[in-house]
């Protein structure tokens, strides 16, 4: 279990482009496990950060090497942000490419940079967060820098409970 926490801390740090210096952030604490989603909280420079994370139940593509894959929703109350969706794909995206998310038949676009994809703005983040909580299946498609197309399928079972947990922990309404 501790190894998994360190993996999530590493993913979180890579996602936000910083390394944790001693004393600047605490190890993430699991708030709860809800179906296929897990919620965490950590302190970053004295501010609470709450996030929920899941891994795909199926990852497809003709690739020879691929890193860890994660979908996350993050709240950062000190920065006045909530519902920030990010997707770590385990490879570097093709430059200038978009990724798509389909949740129960409704398609959403993400922009990509390096190995991460994001929603284009706060309104899109909120729509995605709501769709994830209410949906049952999410499919993410992208293209690597080598032209390899991937399709990752997620179960959204437990996502509503994980979202409620991070919102309660970070006092988000």
């Amino acid at each position: 279990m501790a190894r998994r926490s360190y993996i999530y801390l590493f993913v979180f740090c890579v996602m936000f482009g910083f390394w944790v210096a001693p004393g600047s952030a605490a190890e993430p604490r699991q708030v709860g496990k809800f179906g296929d989603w897990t919620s965490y909280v950590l302190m970053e420079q004295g501010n609470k950060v709450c996030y929920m994370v899941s891994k795909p139940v199926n990852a497809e593509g003709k690739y020879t090497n691929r890193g860890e894959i994660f979908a996350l929703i993050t709240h950062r109350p000190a920065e006045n942000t909530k519902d920030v969706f990010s997707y770590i794909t385990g490879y570097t995206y093709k430059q200038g490419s978009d990724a798509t998310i389909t949740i129960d038949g409704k398609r959403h676009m993400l922009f990509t940079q390096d190995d991460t994809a994001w929603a284009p703005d706060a309104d899109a983040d909120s729509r995605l967060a709501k769709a994830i909580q209410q949906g049952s299946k999410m499919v993410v498609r992208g293209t690597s820098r080598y032209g390899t197309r991937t399709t990752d399928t997620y179960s959204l079972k437990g996502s509503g409970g994980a979202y409620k947990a991070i919102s309660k922990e970070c006092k988000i309404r």
Side-chain angles (χ1 to χ4, degrees):
M1 182 57 89
R3 179 172 161 24
R4 183 177 293 155
S5 293
Y6 285 115
I7 290 170
Y8 289 136
L9 175 61
F10 174 77
V11 167
F12 188 77
C13 292
V14 168
M15 180 180 75
F16 290 104
F18 66 91
W19 288 100
V20 178
S24 66
E27 181 179 336
R29 174 179 57 84
Q30 183 175 315
V31 176
K33 175 81 172 139
F34 304 87
D36 294 313
W37 290 77
T38 306
S39 57
Y40 292 90
V41 63
L42 64 82
M43 295 301 290
E44 177 186 277
Q45 299 175 348
N47 297 312
K48 202 177 260 195
V49 177
C50 303
Y51 63 101
M52 57 188 268
V53 62
S54 185
K55 295 183 78 168
V57 294
N58 190 35
E60 299 174 23
K62 294 182 181 181
Y63 45 84
T64 55
N65 188 19
R66 189 172 183 189
E68 296 281 349
I69 311 164
F70 298 97
L72 300 99
I73 295 176
T74 304
H75 297 327
R76 293 172 169 268
E79 295 178 13
N80 232 5
T81 64
K82 67 176 187 172
D83 297 342
V84 177
F85 179 84
S86 56
Y87 189 72
I88 298 170
T89 196
Y91 60 75
T92 301
Y93 281 105
K94 180 178 178 179
Q95 190 170 2
S97 69
D98 291 324
T100 61
I101 291 186
T102 304
I103 300 172
D104 294 341
K106 181 158 175 45
R107 189 173 166 181
H108 306 265
M109 296 299 293
L110 302 175
F111 74 92
T112 66
Q113 182 178 354
D114 299 326
D115 68 344
T116 307
W118 294 274
D121 56 43
D123 288 338
D125 278 329
S126 293
R127 286 191 302 273
L128 268 174
K130 185 175 183 180
I132 288 168
Q133 292 173 72
Q134 296 174 347
S136 62
K137 178 180 168 185
M138 176 171 81
V139 178
V140 184
R141 291 184 173 85
T143 304
S144 79
R145 68 179 168 197
Y146 301 113
T148 304
R149 294 177 189 223
T150 59
T151 302
D152 303 325
T153 304
Y154 285 79
S155 163
L156 299 179
K157 179 182 176 189
S159 60
Y163 184 85
K164 287 176 187 171
I166 65 170
S167 296
K168 181 179 178 182
E169 186 70 34
C170 271
K171 298 178 175 48
I172 301 291
R173 295 181 208 198

